[in-house]
Short mmCIF file of all heavy atoms in Angstrom, two decimals:
data_model
loop_
_atom_site.label_atom_id
_atom_site.label_comp_id
_atom_site.label_asym_id
_atom_site.label_seq_id
_atom_site.Cartn_x
_atom_site.Cartn_y
_atom_site.Cartn_z
N VAL G 127 -51.54 69.83 -79.62
CA VAL G 127 -51.13 68.45 -79.38
C VAL G 127 -49.84 68.18 -80.15
O VAL G 127 -49.80 68.35 -81.37
CB VAL G 127 -52.21 67.43 -79.82
CG1 VAL G 127 -51.76 66.01 -79.48
CG2 VAL G 127 -53.55 67.74 -79.15
N ASP G 136 -40.94 60.72 -74.24
CA ASP G 136 -40.28 60.54 -72.94
C ASP G 136 -39.27 61.65 -72.68
O ASP G 136 -39.15 62.16 -71.56
CB ASP G 136 -39.58 59.18 -72.88
CG ASP G 136 -40.56 58.02 -72.70
OD1 ASP G 136 -41.73 58.29 -72.35
OD2 ASP G 136 -40.16 56.86 -72.92
N SER G 202 -59.87 71.78 -92.39
CA SER G 202 -58.63 72.12 -91.68
C SER G 202 -57.59 72.67 -92.65
O SER G 202 -57.79 72.70 -93.86
CB SER G 202 -58.08 70.89 -90.96
OG SER G 202 -57.71 69.87 -91.89
N GLY G 214 -35.17 62.95 -103.42
CA GLY G 214 -35.80 61.72 -102.95
C GLY G 214 -34.92 60.51 -103.22
O GLY G 214 -34.25 60.43 -104.25
#
Side-chain angles (χ1 to χ4, degrees):
V127 183
D136 285 345
S202 63

